[in-house]
Amino acid sequence: MTESVRHFDVLVVGAGPAGLNAAAAAASHGVRVGLIDAQPRPGGQVWRHDVAAPQPSPAVGVLATISQHGVEWIAQAQVVQAGPECLLAETAQGTLRLHYRALVLATGARELLLPFPGWTLPGVTGAGGAQALVKQGWPMIGKRAVVAGSGPLLLAAALTLKRHGAQVLGIHEQASSAAVRGFALRLPRWPGKAAQALGMKLQLAGIPYRGGSVVVAAHGDARLREVEIDGPRGRERIACDHLAVGYGLVPNTELAESLGCRLELAGAHPAVAVDAELRTSVEHVFAAGEALGIGGRDCAQVEGAIAGHLAAGHSGPARAVQRKRRHARAFAGLLARSFVLDPRIRSLADADTVVCRCEDVTLRQLQGFASARDARLATRCGMGACQGRICGAALAELDPACVESPGAGRRPPLFPARLATLAESFSNHSQGATP
Ligand SMILES: Cc1cc2nc3c(=O)[nH]c(=O)nc-3n(C[C@H](O)[C@H](O)[C@H](O)COP(=O)(O)OP(=O)(O)OC[C@H]3O[C@@H](n4cnc5c(N)ncnc54)[C@H](O)[C@@H]3O)c2cc1C
């Protein structure tokens, strides 16, 4: 295992639309920029490499700018610990110490998965999760798939599954048809989004789209056989091979939290708090994109550019796109208002439903605790491989007592890490070095 040290004027964590635009904007001022991501290729969630499709054109443009300006791309490196002006990242070869003068956090979001009976059966994944799998070559040809949950991501997921050969049987949106209609009527304020939505609807023509329709259970033995839906037409069972179900997104705030950045609650989940110039509460640390709250790709792009310019010390070009940012962020408000979670979804899990699948903890075992911390200490819920990224968010939705107050503190490592990495970080701590 090797250890290497790098120094940057601006370091960007996350190579999705926000991070790519931040790196391009910062590098356009001639400063030394590093861009790090846990994934092998840049693109983040929305521009994730698809084995069966070319790179989307907005991604091609920003990637060209980045390479032209000599941004150092650090792939397959996961930031596991933060310290003052230095991050520790783990790669297949060893560890990296990344020093920076300014940092941009563009860590994006993950899916909100909510438990219901059968949700851990093989054949059930998140909606975005299914999309990510098929883009990376997971076979879907001829498989009967049901897409369910909430938000515009369902259309994108259904379309990706269809393009990869799945037979999409239906899209089941938990928000009411009236709420979805209201969303569609307001969409023309964002012409790009309206065109994108229309394009997807046309390509999905013939696939039923039902509002007010909730997956209440997945049935099967060793794998999924049927999903049970509760909708305006009553209960129905649909035989299928795959269920892709997700209830929107939750910001990834762990790195910001461990740096000491102030977070604020948006509903049951924290987001990174920033001022109008996307400065966090920690000096020289900026944040952009879905880590600030769920606003979509356009919002992530413009915020990335603002944060990148400011991190490089140039406020002029950042000011020029502030109006664009406010417009893009207004879309986040529309999303949140239109796809409010139906309360019945929070009561689908029964006492035997597993909530923490890493540590095999059921809802029964989680009942009666005064806080998420108490539940964690007594049951190990959230202490497994995902470090509470899935079950922590689910528990916060299921039990208001388990909504964690932002800033409660997060201990390293941010992700499971090799013993050698831990030894590395701790040995340096004891010598007083960072992190
Ligand atoms: C599974 C999924 C699928 C989605 N599919 C679509 C879609 O098809 N269409 C659409 O419009 N929107 C989609 N979205 C929404 C999408 O996330 C945003 O619109 C957009 O990608 C947000 O850009 P971002 O740059 O803020 O974050 P992201 O694109 O999420 O990028 C964040 C990046 O940060 C990296 N990262 C995070 N923490 C660390 C760390 N500690 N160390 C190293 N790297 C780190 C991640 O690997 C990731 O690549 C999807 C979201 C998810 C979660």
Side-chain angles (χ1 to χ4, degrees), residues 45-46 48-52 110-113 119 121-141 143-149 153-168 170-171 224 240-249 357 390:
Q45 299 292 358
V46 60
R48 183 184 287 276
H49 173 67
D50 187 330
V51 291
R110 57 180 177 271
E111 264 192 292
L112 175 62
L113 305 180
W119 78 290
L121 275 173
V124 182
T125 66
Q131 202 187 13
L133 283 168
V134 296
K135 280 186 176 180
Q136 287 167 120
W138 199 51
M140 257 291 171
I141 294 174
K143 292 213 175 130
R144 298 161 305 164
V146 170
V147 177
L153 181 57
L154 301 189
L155 291 184
L159 191 54
T160 309
L161 295 183
K162 184 179 170 210
R163 281 189 186 140
H164 284 258
Q167 183 195 347
V168 181
I171 302 167
L224 175 72
C240 62
D241 307 302
H242 194 95
L243 169 63
V245 54
Y247 289 95
L249 305 175
R357 60 196 303 175
I390 302 299

Side-chain angles (χ1 to χ4, degrees), residues 72-164:
E72 186 173 335
W73 163 234
I74 306 167
Q76 285 183 298
Q78 198 156 46
V79 176
V80 293
Q81 192 176 6
E85 281 147 50
C86 182
L87 300 181
L88 181 73
E90 185 179 88
T91 68
Q93 292 74 38
T95 55
L96 290 174
R97 271 167 201 280
L98 305 166
H99 294 264
Y100 57 85
R101 288 180 201 276
L103 178 66
V104 179
L105 303 174
T107 48
R110 57 180 177 271
E111 264 192 292
L112 175 62
L113 305 180
L114 295 173
F116 54 87
W119 78 290
T120 53
L121 275 173
V124 182
T125 66
Q131 202 187 13
L133 283 168
V134 296
K135 280 186 176 180
Q136 287 167 120
W138 199 51
M140 257 291 171
I141 294 174
K143 292 213 175 130
R144 298 161 305 164
V146 170
V147 177
S150 199
L153 181 57
L154 301 189
L155 291 184
L159 191 54
T160 309
L161 295 183
K162 184 179 170 210
R163 281 189 186 140
H164 284 258

Side-chain angles (χ1 to χ4, degrees), residues 110-111 252 254 385-393 410 414-416:
R110 57 180 177 271
E111 264 192 292
N252 288 325
E254 292 76 10
C386 89
Q387 289 286 288
R389 282 175 173 77
I390 302 299
C391 60
R410 175 164 288 272
L414 300 173
F415 291 95

Side-chain angles (χ1 to χ4, degrees), residues 357-422:
R357 60 196 303 175
C358 301
E359 294 291 326
D360 233 353
V361 184
T362 61
L363 186 59
R364 179 184 287 110
Q365 293 168 280
L366 286 166
Q367 276 158 354
F369 290 103
S371 68
R373 186 172 182 277
D374 286 358
R376 192 157 52 233
L377 292 176
T379 66
R380 291 194 53 80
C381 175
M383 288 185 168
C386 89
Q387 289 286 288
R389 282 175 173 77
I390 302 299
C391 60
L395 201 54
E397 288 286 349
L398 299 188
D399 182 353
C402 290
V403 174
E404 298 206 62
S405 18
R410 175 164 288 272
R411 289 192 203 164
L414 300 173
F415 291 95
R418 284 189 301 264
L419 284 174
T421 305
L422 298 181

